Amino acid sequence: MSASIKAVSTALSAFEDAAPQKFRNLTAAGYYELAVRRGEGEIAAEGPLVVKTGEHTGRSAQDKFTVRRPEIDAKIWWDNSKPMTPDQFEALRRDMLDYAAGKELFAQDLKGGTDKDHSISVRVFTELAWHSLFIQHLLVRPAMETRGFATGAAPDFTIVDLPGFEADPSRHGCRSKTVIAVDFVKRVVLIGGTSYAGEMKKSVFTILNFLLPEKGVMPMHCSVNVGTSEDSAVFFGLSGTGKTTLSADPNRVLIGDDEHGWSENGLFNFEGGCYAKMIRLSAEAEPEIYATTKRFGTVLENVVMDPQTRALDLDDATLAENSRGAYPIHYIPNASDTGRAPHPKNIIMLTADAFGVLPPIARLTAEQAMYHFLSGFTAKVAGTEKGLGKEPQPTFSTCFGAPFMPRHPSEYGKLLGELIERHGVTCWLVNTGWTGGPYGEGSRMPIKATRALLSAALDGSLKSAPMRRDETFGFDAPTKVAGVDDRILNPRETWRDPKAYDEQAAKLAKMFVENFAKFEPYVSDGVKKAAPKA
């Protein structure tokens, strides 16, 4: 062990000293008791733990940093990663250690990944009891007797999460009092100044996104489910596109709803739980997820609760539009108990097109799939984020998860393309956004139609449906599908003014082309030709 790594190990053992035996690897009931006693949360009428995250109700993407060291410098996509010097990270570590002195921390040994050959062990220290319960849900829970504290084994990575700590930009090289710093060489993640628990799980995703490609394993921001015929499906999609909702299918086994890997062994979940949006959740549209809001153990972030009756109001966005629920994956009735599945038969790329241009479903060639994967398109509308005007705003988040991709997107894109070809996967683009016009004029794509089209794609019947070639985007879209209104299948025919549709399609195509220009030096001619006609 080098002197520098030994020094870090010694410092981390000091964090272990702040986590007494009684606060290590507790049960959900233990965390409940401590969270309520410490004033961190309240218990709602039917059992969930309700907490507030304060000013941070979502990720602090601008406050995430990567420690720049010679060993990894050439491997990092620095256009997408903010650097922190080793000295700044060391100062941050020492200051967080000083802050933790005299406090009792919670500690757990968990895993990232269910694949026996590609998982990592993670030790997580938290200042808040409910944060420890959250990460217990979201990561994989090994048998108690095999965990590092019990065996004396050191973890592969350590995460220290101290929401009450405030970073100093002048001393720590960060932007504000909030900081998420990842050191891939020392294998440490330091999180401070935010109570948003999702930073911990996304840090593990970032770690696996860095480690796995060198092993030929594809990390993916996606959900996965599998049918009775072992027909696995991957669902890519940014927030708001329906990734969690559509993968929770009562007729298929859920592998996971957010982060997965694709190895030589097949698909595997990075996590042991789900982190679903709660705002305006309904029992009719999403019964499996809705049921988790009535379970002991579920952690509800920024969900409004009546102080007298303790009843929840999932429609109230007073505290946050991004209210969330964290729960173990076995709270979903048909969830997998292994977190693993065979190689996929289908890949679904979800987009919420607020421009009203894309069809509800289209079949992609392998080259088109790589193009849309690297593009990572969806659209945001007024009401979802501050500062958005009346016009839809395009969002291109490469690989459907740019904030968590430490390597250049071309690495992930090339790896995905190779796996698609090797395993003969059929790829689909599904629009869960608007039809009949853009946001403000058209209407949201009916979820009943989306589910029917997905069912046809997954059972293989959509492959034989009559298709038309889209003139602008070049993919094939079905013209007739049983149980779906023919008119909805061609978006141009749903607009009152077809010429207005043509103008809107050309506008969106131009956005795709302009965004993709930065990837052209890294892709084949076939992928370049998959671009829409601007």
Side-chain angles (χ1 to χ4, degrees):
M1 182 182 292
S2 70
S4 60
I5 294 179
K6 185 175 181 180
V8 171
S9 298
T10 301
L12 291 177
S13 68
F15 283 111
E16 291 178 8
D17 293 339
Q21 189 69 37
K22 64 180 180 179
F23 285 168
R24 297 181 182 182
N25 295 324
L26 300 184
T27 63
Y31 288 123
Y32 258 56
E33 180 181 341
L34 289 164
V36 173
R37 183 192 304 168
R38 290 155 56 104
E40 296 175 10
E42 299 176 290
I43 302 174
E46 292 172 282
L49 183 67
V50 180
V51 298
K52 298 175 183 177
T53 64
E55 64 176 296
H56 294 283
T57 59
R59 290 184 303 100
S60 299
Q62 298 304 311
D63 295 307
K64 183 176 179 180
F65 295 83
T66 300
V67 181
R68 193 161 199 166
R69 297 186 185 275
E71 299 95 318
I72 62 162
D73 194 74
K75 300 177 181 179
I76 301 296
W77 180 28
W78 290 111
D79 289 349
N80 191 56
S81 302
K82 294 181 174 63
M84 176 180 283
T85 69
D87 288 344
Q88 289 167 337
F89 183 81
E90 176 61 16
L92 177 64
R93 181 195 60 77
R94 288 198 305 268
D95 291 348
M96 291 183 76
L97 187 60
D98 289 343
Y99 170 85
K103 292 181 170 60
E104 288 186 317
L105 302 184
F106 302 90
Q108 290 189 84
D109 280 314
L110 302 164
K111 282 188 176 292
T114 57
D115 188 302
K116 59 183 177 62
D117 298 318
H118 303 295
S119 66
I120 60 170
S121 60
V122 183
R123 183 165 294 166
V124 186
F125 296 96
T126 69
E127 181 180 5
L128 300 176
W130 80 262
H131 269 207
S132 214
L133 177 59
F134 170 95
I135 201 62
Q136 182 183 86
H137 288 341
L138 267 297
L139 293 186
V140 178
R141 299 165 291 281
M144 196 68 72
E145 64 273 13
T146 66
R147 298 190 186 187
F149 279 126
T151 65
D156 295 320
F157 268 83
T158 300
I159 297 174
V160 179
D161 171 57
L162 306 177
F165 174 83
E166 294 186 357
D168 179 352
S170 63
R171 177 171 166 78
H172 304 132
C174 50
R175 188 186 69 103
S176 69
K177 66 180 182 180
T178 300
V179 64
I180 302 97
V182 183
D183 190 331
F184 290 117
V185 175
K186 300 297 180 66
R187 299 196 164 217
V188 178
V189 179
L190 301 176
I191 303 171
T194 173
S195 293
Y196 182 69
E199 298 289 8
M200 291 183 287
K201 91 175 202 93
K202 289 303 184 186
S203 293
V204 175
F205 187 27
T206 300
I207 291 166
L208 289 167
N209 281 347
F210 176 74
L211 297 176
L212 293 181
E214 286 190 349
K215 302 168 73 176
V217 179
M218 177 69 189
M220 303 177 291
H221 183 211
C222 69
S223 56
V224 172
N225 65 24
V226 60
T228 55
S229 301
E230 296 292 285
D231 52 329
S232 304
V234 171
F235 296 77
F236 287 109
L238 299 171
S239 179
T241 59
K243 180 163 55 72
T244 297
T245 300
L246 293 170
S247 59
D249 185 333
N251 299 312
R252 297 172 64 83
V253 172
L254 178 69
I255 304 301
D257 80 329
D258 199 34
E259 300 164 4
H260 294 80
W262 186 356
S263 75
E264 70 280 8
N265 303 320
L267 300 170
F268 64 99
N269 196 352
F270 285 174
E271 302 181 299
C274 302
Y275 193 33
K277 281 196 171 185
M278 292 287 118
I279 194 67
R280 291 177 287 278
L281 190 70
S282 76
E284 293 74 29
E286 299 166 291
E288 294 86 3
I289 300 173
Y290 183 84
T292 68
T293 68
K294 302 177 182 299
R295 290 285 300 267
F296 177 89
T298 296
V299 179
L300 297 177
E301 293 179 345
N302 304 311
V303 171
V304 174
M305 179 181 74
D306 186 289
Q308 300 301 320
T309 66
R310 300 297 180 101
L312 302 173
D313 186 350
L314 300 178
D315 295 326
D316 190 334
T318 302
L319 295 176
E321 181 72 26
N322 189 40
S323 59
R324 294 266 180 168
Y327 48 88
I329 195 166
H330 65 258
Y331 279 17
I332 300 296
N334 60 328
S336 166
D337 58 1
T338 66
R340 298 186 296 273
H343 298 290
K345 292 284 196 294
N346 290 277
I347 287 178
I348 313 295
M349 296 186 182
L350 299 165
T351 181
D353 173 24
F355 296 90
V357 168
L358 298 176
I361 196 166
R363 185 172 57 198
L364 305 175
T365 65
E367 289 80 9
Q368 288 169 341
M370 288 180 64
Y371 185 94
H372 284 276
F373 177 72
L374 288 171
S375 297
F377 167 72
T378 192
K380 295 179 180 178
V381 296
T384 59
E385 284 190 10
K386 292 180 180 179
L388 292 177
K390 295 181 180 179
E391 285 288 315
Q393 297 297 314
T395 296
F396 292 96
S397 184
T398 186
C399 308
F400 294 98
F404 322 114
M405 302 296 172
R407 295 176 179 270
H408 194 276
S410 60
E411 285 194 55
Y412 305 106
K414 181 181 178 183
L415 188 52
L416 180 66
E418 291 171 352
L419 288 166
I420 288 172
E421 292 283 4
R422 186 181 307 157
H423 298 286
V425 184
T426 304
C427 301
W428 307 90
L429 182 69
V430 172
N431 175 23
T432 61
W434 274 256
T435 184
Y439 171 78
E441 297 178 21
S443 58
R444 193 74 192 252
M445 196 72 69
I447 191 168
K448 184 177 180 181
T450 301
R451 288 194 182 279
L453 291 167
L454 274 177
S455 295
L458 298 180
D459 69 20
S461 61
L462 196 57
K463 286 184 179 181
S464 58
M467 298 275 181
R468 65 173 180 86
R469 181 65 50 85
D470 188 283
E471 293 183 3
T472 302
F473 288 87
F475 43 52
D476 291 335
T479 57
K480 185 174 288 293
V481 179
V484 179
D485 186 342
D486 293 351
R487 292 173 297 178
I488 207 172
L489 296 174
N490 187 339
R492 190 174 190 271
E493 294 179 2
T494 66
W495 282 50
R496 289 193 301 270
D497 182 357
K499 184 178 179 181
Y501 168 85
D502 294 338
E503 292 173 354
Q504 187 84 323
K507 178 181 175 182
L508 181 58
K510 184 180 179 183
M511 293 177 185
F512 266 91
V513 171
E514 291 175 347
N515 170 74
F516 201 82
K518 57 183 175 289
F519 300 127
E520 287 193 350
Y522 304 97
V523 300
S524 67
D525 288 341
V527 175
K528 292 176 187 177
K529 291 177 182 177
K533 297 177 181 178

